[in-house]
Amino acid sequence: SLSISVSYSARNLNVIFDSNLSFDQHITKLVQSCLQIRNIAKISSSPKNVVTQIIHAFISSRLDYCNSLFSCLTVSATVHLQLVQNAAARLLTHITPVLASLH
């Protein structure tokens, strides 16, 4: 007898698709992978171009990968992604009021 188990999510091209297409699991994993922004903040005294390259390599590239899938997300689902993007922008600009004016 063959036993088949049901899965409520599947990974394809490193994107986690859940049964509701809410991408909650994917967003959680994505935000967790961007937590290294804390370590980038510690080296923010490095030359600006070095910090910029590191942020683009480790943060922006992950947020941009398959971002067209996020076009149908609810506002509550995108809040976590926006927080990561804002933290990266703060490291680059050191200007929090500019971020406030963008919202």
Side-chain angles (χ1 to χ4, degrees):
S1 159
L2 182 63
S3 174
I4 299 176
S5 61
V6 176
S7 176
Y8 294 101
S9 64
R11 182 184 302 263
N12 188 16
L13 296 174
N14 209 27
V15 176
I16 303 171
F17 293 86
D18 58 21
S19 59
N20 297 324
L21 290 179
S22 66
F23 296 100
D24 289 338
Q25 288 180 335
H26 179 70
I27 291 171
T28 300
K29 294 285 186 186
L30 181 61
V31 170
Q32 286 174 351
S33 74
C34 291
L35 287 179
Q36 60 193 313
I37 200 163
R38 296 176 185 160
N39 295 329
I40 296 171
K42 293 176 185 175
I43 62 165
S44 63
S45 60
S46 299
K48 186 171 178 137
N49 63 339
V50 172
V51 175
T52 301
Q53 288 177 348
I54 291 171
I55 287 175
H56 286 304
F58 292 108
I59 307 301
S60 300
S61 63
R62 290 182 182 168
L63 291 175
D64 288 342
Y65 181 71
C66 289
N67 66 359
S68 61
L69 296 173
F70 299 151
S71 64
C72 62
L73 292 181
T74 62
V75 173
S76 62
T78 59
V79 167
H80 300 291
L81 299 173
Q82 188 67 52
L83 290 173
V84 171
Q85 191 172 25
N86 288 353
R90 272 193 301 278
L91 278 177
L92 288 176
T93 62
H94 300 290
I95 304 173
T96 304
V98 170
L99 290 175
S101 69
L102 294 176
H103 290 284

